[in-house]
Amino acid sequence: MTRSSPNAGLLFALASASLYGFNIVYARMASFAGASGSAIVVYRVFLMLALVAVVALVTRRSLKMAREERGTLLLLGVATALVGICYLSSVAYIPVTVAAVVFYTFPILIVLASPLVEGTRLTPALLGVVAVATIGVALVVGPAFGDLDWRGLALAFGASIATATQFFAAARCRRTGVVAKVFWIHLLVLPTAALISWTAGQLVPPSALAAAPFAVAMTIGGYLFGFVLQFLALGRITAVAAGIIYCTEPVVAAVSSTLILGESMGPLQIIGGVLVLTAIVTNVLLDQRRHKDAPLVPIAD
């Protein structure tokens, strides 16, 4: 057991969100080369399981889950699977940008549900931070709302609910080590991802990913490290703080796509990025004030 630090949790969350942002850009590059997105999802989950097993063997980390957290881990696995299923399925009915804006309502859901789940007091400052972050994300993504299919909207919002559930569950799962958490979560995600890819006719052999080796490697690597850092963060900070920090993901994706893919950012996107960063800095300052005299909580790494 180690002692949790909110500051370390915030840094882990920021690094994780940034890696996820880079991951999206390289996933797009891989798709340009013909590498199937759903196939990448299956193989990255499979690779995660293999790597976790090796790490557990080498470091002699236990893969046992804390008895009292079995239900929480089951909920985490189901929620993680639903995030991918709903989000990836939503773009079959609505534009990616619209799906992203609907998906990033999860920080609002976390804040609104936090009084019931975590006993957090809703303050005007906290509500203001969430509002600014949400407006910033909407400006960064900049969707053109047109003829929208209700099925796509429902799936994207379902992914948002699943993400909020994932954050709350992960923040309460402190006694099971990160290695064990990552292993059991992905053990639940793998069959789900494989079934979706097979149903879509995109479950191709691993050799098919050689069409874009660098982009695929960056996509898988960004996910692997981002996921581990996410669960290191969620053992140290509240779901509310993490939800706001993860609003940096679309900002990093937008900046990365400009630098790597040559896409352009308009004035509204730049303003949106500034709003998101402002919200995050404000929340960090508020969070430090709240935890200034709070004792460190023991957690399992």
Side-chain angles (χ1 to χ4, degrees), residues 47-69:
L47 181 60
M48 176 71 93
L49 281 171
L51 287 175
V52 169
V54 171
V55 169
L57 183 63
V58 172
T59 63
R60 298 185 178 181
R61 291 289 186 98
S62 173
L63 293 180
K64 292 179 64 176
M65 61 182 81
R67 182 181 297 274
E68 64 272 24
E69 292 181 348

Side-chain angles (χ1 to χ4, degrees), residues 224-249:
L224 296 181
F225 287 106
F227 194 88
V228 172
L229 287 170
Q230 177 183 346
F231 279 83
L232 284 172
L234 291 173
R236 291 168 169 80
I237 57 177
T238 65
V240 173
I244 295 172
I245 289 289
Y246 273 83
C247 287
T248 56
E249 182 183 334

Side-chain angles (χ1 to χ4, degrees), residues 129-170:
V129 165
V130 173
V132 170
T134 302
I135 293 171
V137 170
L139 290 176
V140 169
V141 179
F145 290 92
D147 297 326
L148 300 180
D149 192 313
W150 68 269
R151 292 172 293 181
L153 294 174
L155 285 166
F157 190 61
S160 178
I161 295 173
T163 301
T165 303
Q166 180 194 55
F167 275 47
F168 279 126

Side-chain angles (χ1 to χ4, degrees), residues 185-212:
I185 288 169
H186 282 80
L187 197 63
L188 288 168
V189 172
L190 181 59
T192 306
L195 178 61
I196 293 172
S197 185
W198 177 77
T199 303
Q202 296 181 335
L203 190 56
V204 295
S207 57
L209 303 183

Side-chain angles (χ1 to χ4, degrees), residues 82-83 85-106 109 143-162:
L82 287 176
V83 171
I85 294 169
C86 293
Y87 199 22
L88 291 176
S89 300
S90 68
V91 296
Y93 303 100
I94 57 176
V96 173
T97 50
V98 176
V101 168
V102 176
F103 174 64
Y104 273 93
T105 58
F106 76 81
L109 298 180
F145 290 92
D147 297 326
L148 300 180
D149 192 313
W150 68 269
R151 292 172 293 181
L153 294 174
L155 285 166
F157 190 61
S160 178
I161 295 173

